[in-house]
Amino acid sequence: MNFKPMRLSVFFLPTLKETPAEAQIVSHRLMLRAGMIHQESAGIYSWLPLGIRVLKKIEGIIRAEQDGAGAQEILMPTIQSADIWRESGRYDDYGREMLRITDRHDREMLYGPTNEEMVTGILRDHLRSYRDLPLMLYHIQWKFRDEVRPRFGIMRGREFLMKDCYSFDLDFEGSKRAYNAMFAAYLRTFARLGLKAVPVVADPGAIGGNMSHEFHILAETGESTIFYDAAYDDLDLDMENPDIEALRGIYAAEEEKHDPADCPVPPERLKQAKGIEVGHIFYFGTKYSKSMGLTVTKADGEEITPEMGSYGIGVSRLPAAIIEASHDENGIVWPDSVAPFQVGLVNLKTNDADCLALCEDIYARLENAGIETLYDDRDERPGAKFANMDLIGLPWQLVVGPRGVKAGTVELKRRASGEKEELSLDSALARLIP
RNA sequence: CGGGGCGUGGCGCAGUCUGGUAGCGCACCUGCUUUGGGAGCAGGGGGUCGGAGGUUCGAAUCCUCUCGCCCCGACCA
């Protein structure tokens, strides 16, 4: 995933100096102020150039880890027929959260809130033999759930982007392997996104099942309450090869699943926190395969019903979760892995011939090196440029001004630490170009 | 779905109680001066006050209905 460098004079970046009145939590405020999103109606947003870059970076990491875990990408439609939901029995169960529509022939359709029925239907049409299993299929697609009360910007939208993966196995042991593979992939995914995610025992909810973990990012603005063993806080996980069994041995539970009378953690080590749910994995056996008649033939000729699990990540929720976890009073602080650009090149004085020539040279060199650079070539005052760069939170700022040009230096600032260094051009570029 | 709040130029707001024909800051456009942390001066453009009815000589302001958005709670990924 590598985006083109851009000049700020042509890049569509409608940043706001003031906070729109409707935004209450910091991620919503900063996403609006940084020109990442534009609200269309309650819980429905357009993604602007800066926002879509971040979203696609996140998608790229999720995709790589899903592929790495052995899942294969597909793409199912957003619009589904009511028929398959009647087969599973969920058409009536789902209630008013489901957006129901009819086409011109009065056929009942719906905007998919999830895809268990659809993926099961695909496999029912194409799976015949036990040799076709195990199988994990995932897609990254927009979903719609008609929330009673959308809120917190993209965090709790009605339309949202979700990665959902579905596993199909011959038996429980196979399902458990799939579950663990996804568990590990999730830990790696969130670590690569710069997040510390806590896997907690969860209530599988209306979707059913009996083995379920949610992945939460600890944040004040989280909507879920979780209880966990303080051991998590000083856990140093090896994300390349996480010890899942050890991790699952550490107590963590969502509020509904937490029973104080039956909690193995001594009170002094039990912590309560708010979490943003960014992932949910669960095993649900044959709930859908059975109701929808998905079977394969085993070696001995017996027909069996595959066991399934599903594994979701709230993709469009993640930019907000990352901002909640990584910002300061001046704006967003993007982790390198999801930053919309790696470097903000700031020309402090565009009408100074030396500044201009040097910036153009640097921009060309960064572009040739494939570094994602946002070049602020606008005729604005230094203060406005600094404030804007801090707001949009690019990991590095390379500042070129008349003072430095005379001295033969540029300033390199690390957004996360605020640390600034006066460096020669070559050593600054050496830091930015791997 | 219960409770509360808000809709006035792109954004943030005042004006509404007490009716008299719309204002401030930022942003935008032009010019000049500025240029290392959201500049100064001068000039300028942009608003059927969410919408529809009603009361009145006259409605952003009063009344009725309606639409939208936000917050708390319940619910949910």
Side-chain angles (χ1 to χ4, degrees):
Chain A
M1 179 76 51
N2 209 356
F3 290 114
K4 267 186 67 176
M6 292 293 299
R7 288 172 189 267
L8 193 44
S9 58
V10 297
F11 189 59
F12 180 53
L13 184 69
T15 55
L16 303 170
K17 199 145 108 180
E18 290 176 283
T19 300
E22 73 266 17
Q24 298 298 313
I25 66 168
V26 66
S27 58
H28 190 195
R29 287 201 292 256
L30 289 175
M31 288 182 82
L32 290 171
R33 286 194 55 212
M36 294 177 65
I37 53 172
H38 174 85
Q39 180 167 356
E40 298 297 346
S41 49
I44 302 179
Y45 291 83
S46 292
W47 291 76
L48 307 184
L50 195 77
I52 196 71
R53 282 188 171 233
V54 173
L55 196 60
K56 288 196 176 293
K57 286 270 173 123
I58 291 170
E59 254 188 72
I61 290 170
I62 292 171
R63 182 171 284 117
E65 292 297 337
Q66 291 292 296
D67 292 344
Q72 299 172 50
E73 184 167 10
I74 61 174
L75 183 59
M76 293 179 270
T78 55
I79 305 294
Q80 306 186 23
S81 163
D83 295 348
I84 50 177
W85 286 72
R86 290 217 167 84
E87 289 188 45
S88 72
R90 283 208 291 181
Y91 191 65
D92 295 325
D93 292 350
Y94 222 91
R96 283 186 293 280
E97 285 223 333
M98 179 183 278
L99 181 63
R100 296 155 205 260
I101 47 190
T102 52
D103 69 10
R104 66 196 300 163
H105 303 293
D106 274 336
R107 283 188 287 245
E108 293 173 277
M109 314 292 282
L110 57 99
Y111 196 123
T114 179
N115 288 67
E116 280 83 5
E117 284 80 358
M118 188 169 271
V119 72
T120 304
I122 291 171
L123 292 202
R124 179 175 59 188
D125 283 355
H126 299 289
L127 270 198
R128 292 291 169 258
S129 163
Y130 72 98
R131 292 195 184 94
D132 299 327
L133 296 180
L135 188 60
M136 288 196 284
L137 298 175
Y138 76 98
H139 74 157
I140 299 174
Q141 177 64 291
W142 292 90
K143 307 286 193 291
F144 196 94
R145 294 183 192 171
D146 200 357
E147 289 284 332
V148 187
R149 189 184 158 211
R151 63 186 111 172
F152 302 149
I154 218 71
M155 189 92 86
R156 176 89 175 264
R158 291 194 291 170
E159 188 184 41
F160 58 98
L161 187 61
M162 181 169 155
K163 184 285 298 180
D164 39 325
C165 179
Y166 304 92
S167 67
F168 299 85
D169 286 279
L170 289 170
D171 50 30
F172 176 72
E173 283 309 309
S175 271
K176 200 173 170 189
R177 278 194 295 275
Y179 190 91
N180 286 343
M182 276 295 146
F183 198 114
Y186 274 36
L187 292 175
R188 282 193 294 268
T189 300
F190 296 124
R192 284 182 62 183
L193 294 173
L195 293 170
K196 181 169 183 181
V198 179
V200 308
V201 174
D203 184 338
I207 207 156
N210 57 19
M211 183 161 72
S212 173
H213 282 84
E214 288 179 356
F215 291 76
H216 284 263
I217 306 305
L218 299 183
E220 286 297 317
T221 45
E223 290 194 82
S224 316
T225 299
I226 61 176
F227 294 87
Y228 67 100
D229 190 328
Y232 266 119
D233 285 340
D234 33 52
L235 194 64
D236 192 21
L237 270 184
D238 172 11
M239 287 305 166
E240 287 306 307
N241 196 12
D243 185 347
I244 296 168
E245 290 307 322
L247 194 54
R248 287 172 68 171
I250 301 177
Y251 182 83
E254 209 200 2
E255 195 168 25
E256 293 81 51
K257 279 270 179 180
H258 174 71
D259 180 2
D262 193 31
C263 175
V265 183
E268 69 275 11
R269 264 178 40 209
L270 184 67
K271 300 187 81 167
Q272 177 180 350
K274 289 287 183 183
I276 300 168
E277 184 189 345
V278 290
H280 192 174
I281 62 177
F282 45 96
Y283 161 79
F284 47 71
T286 59
K287 180 178 163 87
Y288 300 98
S289 45
K290 190 169 183 187
S291 61
M292 296 187 67
L294 167 65
T295 59
V296 295
T297 307
K298 281 175 45 173
D300 60 8
E302 184 194 356
E303 286 212 336
I304 62 148
T305 301
E307 308 247 333
M308 295 174 58
S310 77
Y311 315 91
I313 292 180
V315 182
S316 54
R317 177 178 280 185
L318 278 163
I322 292 168
I323 292 171
E324 291 293 331
S326 182
H327 67 273
D328 63 21
E329 64 280 5
N330 296 320
I332 301 168
V333 181
W334 291 117
D336 294 15
S337 60
V338 300
F341 296 89
Q342 292 305 307
V343 181
L345 172 61
V346 180
N347 183 349
L348 287 185
K349 195 167 181 180
T350 49
N351 59 5
D352 178 294
D354 293 334
C355 277
L356 185 62
L358 185 57
C359 281
E360 292 292 333
D361 177 48
I362 294 172
Y363 185 56
R365 288 167 69 172
L366 288 170
E367 182 167 20
N368 288 336
I371 306 298
E372 297 168 325
T373 305
L374 182 62
Y375 170 25
D376 190 348
D377 58 339
R378 300 169 308 156
D379 179 20
E380 289 287 341
R381 301 179 58 82
K385 295 194 172 196
F386 290 134
N388 211 51
M389 275 298 167
D390 286 348
L391 173 63
I392 66 174
L394 308 184
W396 297 98
Q397 294 173 18
L398 188 56
V399 180
V400 177
R403 211 171 64 196
V405 168
K406 278 200 187 66
T409 61
V410 294
E411 181 184 284
L412 186 63
K413 174 178 163 180
R414 181 69 175 165
R415 177 66 179 89
S417 63
E419 186 189 350
K420 299 175 190 170
E421 286 182 88
E422 294 282 336
L423 299 168
S424 72
L425 177 58
D426 285 340
S427 44
L429 288 179
R431 297 274 282 278
L432 298 174
I433 300 172

